[in-house]
Amino acid sequence: MKSENKLWRMWKVLSLALSIVVRVYWYRLRGKSQWEKEKLWEQIGKEFKETLFELNGVLIKVGQLLSIREDLLPKGFINQIQDLVDHVPPSPWEKIESVLEGEWGGPVSSKVLNIDQEAIASASIGEVYKATLLDGTQAAIKVQRPEIPSLVKTDFRTLSIIIWFARHFAPMPKGFINFKMLYKELKQVIEQELDFSKEMSTGISFKQRFKDHANVKIPTMYPELCTDKVLVMEWVDGVRLNDREAIDLYGLNGQKLAQELFRLFLPQWLEPGIFHADPHAGNILLQPDGTFVLLDYGMIGEISKRDSAHFQNLLEGVLLKNFRKASEALAELGFLLPDASPKTIEPVLKEFVTLDMEQFKQMDLISVKKEINEMVKSLPVQVPTRFIFLGRSFATIEGLVHTLSPDEETLDVVKPAFMDWVKDGNTNKWELLMKWVSAQPLFQTVQKVRQLLDLPEKALEQKDHHQLNGFQFKLFEGQKKQAFVLLLAGCIGGFTGLALGMEVIWQGSFGLAAFGVAGYWIIARRQRNWLKKLKNGQL
């Protein structure tokens, strides 16, 4: 297949990346409006998605991971790729059989009585088959697609070239994206999904964690049959969690199911340990007695004890309005870019936390969200992938809660589950609640009045400061644009002179192009130094 040709894959991706950079620069040079730029990013998103579908492999996973990075990428681009469906035609059975024989060191019949040769599910990395083990047990066998190992190195090498190019030449509006960290996290997450032995270990950990939960079923793993390319687990029947007809047929209460579902995931989000990062309806089955079946442990996140401690410090800092402590906790959690100072986000935290909730309710929430997004994008902040996964997990479960109990407010459904978690024998939770109570207006009247008197002056100072920094950034961008025009004009003139055989023209033109390159490099270096000072709160 053409999509499996390594050089062709690399050329396809690199040429798309180069065309994106050229088009974005061209729109900047022509001074296109924000609306036109957004339309450009929508078109780029469409082309990106079409390319991923054409190439398949791990690049589909790259697209899915990028689709949740709304903190880094343009909205128009995200809108086009956020519905990427990881579904591709299954491989020929002969190739799958070859993988199984290679991993098991012998014929398939030596490990199973029989196996259906038609896949029941097929995605970009693996395919799932139903089989009967030698003892008669029904099992699901997940097999890594045969072409994946040979394509992984090529795709990662291509991705690393794009990341390097983006770091040095991409016209990023704020210059605050840590491309190294983004590449490292993408590579780490995808490599984790490619190693089925890690998924087996995660499944065993989940089974141990929920062994005392009567309403949760985790399929049994069969380690003796599992390898890094083959995963064998117990076959479990159930319907998708969003199948309303089946739920009504089973006579189950949607609101109660929604509460139980939230109880299942709340400790995963708030306590140290691993959490399911992809809990969509296809990965959570429902049995007739209301038991939840958790499937697919390839995409997980982990909240370490260290993360948990820093997260509690963040909550305490916010609740007690100790913004230095809150910003330092964000830095320890990895939300700040390298060399950035926690002082840079203290004013934003203060402004957000001191916002009156009644006023907030009366605001245009779409406008507020847009302003918050713009404010965050102007700061040296990049959300670590594990917390992006946490947010994604929460948002997915929130959607399922609404599907199960559409007539109830989500807050009313999840409140009992949250209160049960608080009362579950952990005194730290009560201490945190008491600190929150002590931070309420009844106990903080004097502080509120003082903040109210200082707010207009501080808001004006902060606005002036942002405007000044914005002007300086535009000045740098304008100078880079002029240098790029010199480079472009010099190249055009140089090649024209070569074509016409006019030595003076091509020498002078290429000299102009060299001057443009030098000017661009000097301006970009000055801009990086300025951004570094801005990150450290020195401006």
Side-chain angles (χ1 to χ4, degrees), residues 236-254 256-257 281 284-293 404:
V236 181
D237 289 308
V239 299
R240 292 172 65 95
L241 193 55
N242 58 356
D243 190 338
R244 290 293 310 178
E245 291 185 7
I247 292 174
D248 293 338
L249 183 65
Y250 293 160
L252 299 173
N253 184 299
K256 184 178 179 181
L257 284 175
I284 306 178
L285 302 183
L286 187 66
Q287 296 188 318
D289 62 353
T291 297
F292 297 111
V293 181
L404 291 170

Side-chain angles (χ1 to χ4, degrees), residues 491-511:
C491 289
I492 293 173
F495 287 116
T496 303
L498 285 173
L500 298 176
M502 302 176 71
E503 186 176 349
V504 175
I505 292 180
W506 71 257
Q507 286 182 348
S509 296
F510 282 131

